[in-house]
Amino acid sequence: MKRTLDDLAVFGGTAAFSEKLYVGRPNIGNRERLLSRIEDMLDRRWLSNDGVYLQEFERTVARMLGVRHCIATCNGTIALEIAIRALGLSGEVIVPSFTFIATAHALQWQQITPVFCDVDPRTHTLDPDCVERLVTSRTTGIIGVHLWGEAHHVEALEALARRRGLKLMFDAAHAFACSYGGKMIGNFGDAEIFSFHATKFLNTFEGGAICTNDDALAEKSRLMRNFGFAGFDKVIYIGTNGKMTEVAAAMGLTGLEALDEFIDANLANYRSYTRELEGIPGATLRTYDDTRRQNYQYIIVEVDEAVAGIARDALVELLHAENIVARRYFYPGCHDMEPYRSLYPGAGAGLPNTARLARQVMALPTGTAVGEAEIRTICQVVRFACSHGREITRSMNSRAPEATGEA
Ligand code: T4K
């Protein structure tokens, strides 16, 4: 319990936790089921390349999402790259800057210019009016990102893409098992991609998938995932190696069996955070729309320095000292990272909401590795810090350089 400034670990007090609490601790399903699948895989000596687990994983995901095709990949970034290529995107593609860097890299990696667009400050997702203003004769597509698992403005983006003759894709890396308008995410735009990275709601260690209802696009993506092979010795496209391994698919199948458990844990944590963060000056929990199916994978808090008296960055530093490894997702915005910062130096001018969110947002630990007791302690630290923000800021600023780790 923090009662005075001296109790804070950043000023020499005892840390709230003896072990680090992380954002993104993997959700792990039933170990026995996983290990028995791995034994079976080893017995059969089939480790990759369209194995039975891969096929079962793709069938199960497609059925669950009600989508015609699921093409599983070795990670979400490769899923983005393949979908971008299979859709024939080129020239310029409009993307939010407030996203994980992979959304932008998947384009630039293929010499396509990511044109950074601002987000709606309420939803944290692409603002369709801003997208409209950025369309040029070189624009071939839009990639929306369902940040924190929630899709927004989908109809407006679909209408805009149709009207301007653009392809529309969604980076749904965060949105597995979530719905929008009564339909599961995976069904929107020309294609949607998922990430099954270790830190994601469903994980396959590393992994991803392209989901689409377009048969031709699915066929092309499938070929591109496997070097463009259309049969023994027959290559018909440029391709890459984007295959998901059998061990990854086995993990995915095991996780799929535990999805309800993962959701229950995340939802309980979200409810605890909602209760415990209530009324903290300047720290606002981003709320989920409970009318949809959600995976509640991210606990996102906006820190308003003007009210809390402490900036998000100082609060994150303070939390780290307490062994609460909060994250600044997604600071500083893709446009402010290399190579984009140098390539497109003017990009930041039209991104005021991105700039504010990148400055104010932090993600707090959740998932099956965190429970109510930990959340109560985390929130008590946040409450103390925001209620004594100005004093803490003054004291942090007056620390000797060695205490801040700066030279
Ligand atoms: N689009 C979006 C919107 C995305 O968020 C991502 C990935 C992608 C596309 C690309 O999908 P992938 O190609 O990754 O499938 C992490 C993940 O590496 C990345 O997958 C994820 N987004 C991003 C949001 O988070 P970092 O740089 O924050 O990773 P790192 O190593 O700091 O780990 C995050 C946290 O998870 C830490 O608190 C430690 C904890 N952790 C991590 C791993 C790997 C564990 O507790 N156990 C683990 O095994 O990027």
Side-chain angles (χ1 to χ4, degrees), residues 22-26 76-77 100 171 173-174 195 197 199-200 327 329:
Y22 292 103
V23 170
R25 286 307 255 177
T77 304
F100 188 61
D171 176 339
H174 298 182
S195 165
H197 180 257
T199 57
K200 292 295 185 289
R327 296 297 300 265
Y329 287 153

Side-chain angles (χ1 to χ4, degrees), residues 71-89:
I71 300 111
T73 56
C74 54
N75 59 56
T77 304
I78 286 277
L80 275 169
E81 288 172 12
I82 292 175
I84 286 165
R85 194 152 198 140
L87 274 171
L89 298 186

Side-chain angles (χ1 to χ4, degrees), residues 109-389:
W109 191 255
Q110 309 191 66
Q111 280 78 52
I112 300 168
T113 303
V115 174
F116 295 114
C117 183
D118 212 1
V119 290
D120 176 335
R122 186 183 59 85
T123 65
H124 299 189
T125 60
L126 271 185
D127 169 356
D129 291 336
C130 176
V131 174
E132 180 98 55
R133 287 196 294 276
L134 293 172
V135 176
T136 70
S137 57
R138 295 193 70 230
T139 311
T140 58
I142 303 165
I143 304 181
V145 181
H146 304 317
L147 214 65
W148 323 129
E150 265 192 18
H152 291 279
H153 307 307
V154 173
E155 294 83 358
L157 291 170
E158 284 178 341
L160 166 56
R162 243 189 334 267
R163 192 159 27 84
R164 305 297 293 256
L166 305 173
K167 302 284 186 197
L168 175 64
M169 256 178 76
F170 288 103
D171 176 339
H174 298 182
F176 189 70
C178 301
S179 72
Y180 177 78
K183 233 195 302 183
M184 295 305 283
I185 287 174
N187 285 278
F188 296 97
D190 294 293
E192 302 205 71
I193 75 90
F194 293 105
S195 165
F196 302 127
H197 180 257
T199 57
K200 292 295 185 289
F201 172 64
L202 175 75
N203 88 80
T204 59
F205 306 118
E206 291 270 0
I210 301 162
C211 286
T212 180
N213 286 307
D214 177 332
D215 297 347
L217 184 69
E219 177 63 14
K220 207 166 172 181
S221 303
R222 219 171 259 292
L223 288 164
M224 285 182 168
R225 176 184 64 176
N226 186 26
F227 312 102
F229 272 109
F232 283 140
D233 317 321
K234 189 176 169 203
V235 171
I236 61 167
Y237 282 125
I238 182 162
T240 184
N241 182 353
K243 289 167 284 153
M244 176 181 275
T245 62
E246 282 293 271
V247 72
M251 181 68 167
L253 285 167
T254 309
L256 284 172
E257 291 164 353
L259 278 197
D260 289 341
E261 227 174 88
F262 300 161
I263 291 186
D264 288 350
N266 281 351
L267 177 58
N269 287 348
Y270 169 63
R271 296 254 182 274
S272 302
Y273 272 114
T274 307
R275 196 180 52 245
E276 299 294 328
L277 290 172
E278 175 74 45
I280 297 184
T284 310
L285 177 69
R286 182 197 161 277
T287 55
Y288 281 96
D289 174 353
D290 281 328
T291 63
R292 308 170 178 196
R293 190 178 154 89
Q294 304 276 11
N295 62 28
Y296 301 98
Q297 179 73 359
Y298 291 92
I299 296 293
I300 299 300
V301 174
E302 287 181 36
V303 183
D304 184 350
E305 181 181 5
V307 180
I310 183 166
R312 186 275 317 268
D313 287 354
L315 182 55
V316 166
E317 185 190 338
L318 180 153
L319 291 171
H320 282 206
E322 302 291 345
N323 280 332
I324 303 162
V325 191
R327 296 297 300 265
R328 300 189 295 178
Y329 287 153
F330 286 104
Y331 172 82
C334 297
H335 71 284
D336 231 353
M337 293 189 180
E338 294 297 354
Y340 312 108
R341 198 187 160 93
S342 301
L343 284 174
Y344 318 115
L351 305 170
N353 299 326
T354 300
R356 182 186 63 76
L357 291 170
R359 210 173 46 241
Q360 295 192 339
V361 164
M362 69 175 178
L364 292 175
T366 183
T368 46
V370 178
E372 176 154 13
E374 289 89 353
I375 292 170
R376 220 176 296 126
T377 305
I378 294 169
C379 295
Q380 198 266 323
V381 177
V382 173
R383 186 177 293 279
F384 181 84
C386 292
S387 310
H388 299 80

